[in-house]
């Protein structure tokens, strides 16, 4: 039996499932999961293995993310209903007051413990020691010279989109949802992505650049004029800066080109059935729901 046993070097033991044809549109967030760890993508998105249930007593990162997104969506909807568009230095205090009202109402509805409600309130509204996410969002807009003419919140980006790759133009079926797209008066737009943790490294970023390129195609096709991605930024709770731009004017084209090739390479790896247990950072394994079934210690890939 030992002699006949398949070698441990066989690709089957290292996360290869030969040909793989999903036949569906992947979400951009799923492709980012592949970049985090191919096996996690396989377990979560292909096998659809169940994850450990969340503790209802506290908000896990996923629920926290939904909560923050919901707060900002409600704020900007209320801001628009009140007759406002852009946030400017002149109406900054009004934005702060409205945001505080929205946050307090959301925390009451969430029925959190006093301790956790206090943490979430500090995250959003800040403290004497540091500004909150709301302040970062408002100041970012108030300090920009171009006015917002329309705001698209939790905007769906679904369909076939064309990207430039090393092998030529490639049309890909994708689905996604941009946290926020601000249409500006000069025909450009900015895409905002809220992050409760650290923003991804530019060399690994996928969602923000791909969403920007998808939005360019969708907006231009649907609004009767050309719209150009002018700015893309993360609003991050962790890290030295709250506002982290995806690119500077001088490296916009390279950043977007690299992201398109990174997405194409990811799709090709999925099509080849390559799902090795190979996290980009071994510390991801500490919080991964699939760490007990990935065989990373057995195959010695990590």
């Amino acid at each position: 039996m030992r002699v006949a046993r398949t070698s441990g070097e066989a690709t089957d033991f290292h996360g290869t499932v030969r040909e793989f044809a999903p036949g569906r549109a992947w979400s951009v967030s799923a492709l980012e999961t592949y970049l985090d760890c191919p096996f996690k993508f396989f377990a979560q998105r292909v096998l659809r293995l169940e994850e450990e249930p969340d503790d209802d007593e506290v908000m896990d990162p996923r629920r926290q993310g939904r909560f923050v997104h919901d707060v900002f969506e409600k704020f900007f909807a209320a801001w628009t209903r009140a007759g406002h568009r852009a946030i400017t230095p002149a109406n900054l205090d009004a934005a702060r007051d409205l945001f505080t009202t929205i946050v307090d109402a959301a925390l009451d509805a969430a029925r959190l413990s006093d301790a956790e409600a206090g943490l979430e309130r500090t995250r959003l509204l800040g403290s004497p020691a540091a500004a909150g996410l709301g302040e970062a969002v408002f100041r970012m807009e108030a300090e920009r010279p171009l006015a917002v003419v329309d705001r698209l919140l939790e905007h769906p980006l679904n369909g076939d989109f064309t990207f430039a790759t090393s092998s030529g133009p490639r049309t890909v079926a994708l689905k996604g949802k941009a946290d926020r797209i601000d249409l500006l008066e000069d025909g450009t737009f900015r895409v905002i992505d809220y992050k409760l943790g650290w923003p991804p490294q530019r060399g690994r970023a996928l969602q923000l650049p791909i969403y920007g390129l998808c939005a360019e195609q969708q907006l231009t096709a649907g609004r009767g004029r050309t719209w150009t991605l002018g700015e893309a930024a993360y609003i991050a709770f962790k890290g030295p800066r709250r506002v982290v731009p995806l690119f500077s004017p001088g490296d916009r084209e390279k950043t977007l080109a690299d992201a398109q090739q990174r997405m194409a390479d990811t799709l090709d790896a999925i099509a080849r059935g390559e799902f090795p247990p190979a996290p980009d950072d071994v510390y991801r394994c500490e919080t991964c729901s699939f760490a007990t079934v990935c065989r990373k210690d057995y195959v010695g890939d990590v």
Side-chain angles (χ1 to χ4, degrees), residues 73-290:
E73 185 177 11
K74 288 179 177 177
F75 165 79
F76 281 113
W79 182 253
T80 301
R81 287 196 303 270
H84 301 295
R85 279 192 176 178
I87 296 174
T88 67
N91 61 26
L92 193 53
D93 285 338
R96 291 173 177 140
D97 291 342
L98 178 59
F99 189 65
T100 300
T101 300
I102 296 294
V103 169
D104 286 340
L107 289 172
D108 287 341
R111 298 181 179 180
L112 303 174
S113 68
D114 290 344
E116 191 169 13
L119 289 173
E120 294 304 322
R121 197 173 195 277
T122 299
R123 187 198 306 275
L124 290 163
L125 299 180
S127 69
L133 288 178
E135 186 69 14
V137 169
F138 303 152
R139 284 196 172 277
M140 174 187 177
E141 185 168 331
E143 292 169 358
R144 279 11 180 214
L146 294 171
V148 175
V149 297
D150 198 3
R151 209 183 304 272
L152 309 177
L153 307 173
E154 299 295 319
H155 184 67
L157 294 165
N158 304 325
D160 293 337
F161 302 96
T162 302
F163 302 95
T165 72
S166 60
S167 58
R170 179 169 176 174
T171 299
V172 178
L174 293 175
K175 56 184 179 180
K177 184 182 291 184
D179 291 348
R180 194 176 106 215
I181 298 176
D182 294 342
L183 304 185
L184 308 178
E185 59 186 356
D186 68 342
T188 64
F189 66 90
R190 63 172 164 253
V191 182
I192 302 297
D193 191 14
Y194 304 122
K195 292 292 185 187
L196 291 187
W198 293 73
Q201 297 177 1
R202 185 179 301 182
R204 287 192 64 263
L206 200 61
Q207 272 186 285
L208 197 55
I210 295 302
Y211 283 170
L213 292 164
C214 291
E216 269 192 356
Q217 298 175 44
Q218 185 192 77
L219 292 171
T220 298
R223 291 185 171 244
R225 61 175 292 187
T226 299
W227 289 91
T228 304
L229 175 64
E231 183 180 9
Y234 299 99
I235 306 293
F237 184 70
K238 292 183 180 179
R241 292 189 296 170
R242 288 287 181 265
V243 179
V244 182
L246 177 67
F247 52 74
S248 60
D251 63 7
R252 175 189 185 278
E253 298 306 318
K254 183 179 187 306
T255 299
L256 296 179
D258 289 347
Q260 292 175 86
Q261 188 60 48
R262 187 158 52 250
M263 182 186 69
D265 292 343
T266 300
L267 289 169
D268 290 342
I270 292 171
R272 290 192 298 268
E274 297 175 1
F275 305 110
D280 69 318
D281 188 328
V282 294
Y283 291 106
R284 292 190 186 277
C285 301
E286 295 180 0
T287 57
C288 179
S289 297
F290 312 109

Side-chain angles (χ1 to χ4, degrees), residues 4-21:
R5 187 174 62 180
T6 304
S7 168
E9 299 299 317
T11 58
D12 295 33
F13 292 102
H14 294 259
T16 299
V17 296
R18 318 221 187 258
E19 294 297 322
F20 178 74

Side-chain angles (χ1 to χ4, degrees), residues 39-58:
F39 184 83
K40 181 177 181 180
F41 169 92
F42 181 65
Q44 185 181 72
R45 305 285 182 162
V46 180
L47 298 181
R48 299 183 181 276
L49 300 182
E50 292 186 8
E51 300 185 51
E52 289 292 328
D54 299 330
D55 185 346
D56 292 335
E57 297 300 319
V58 297

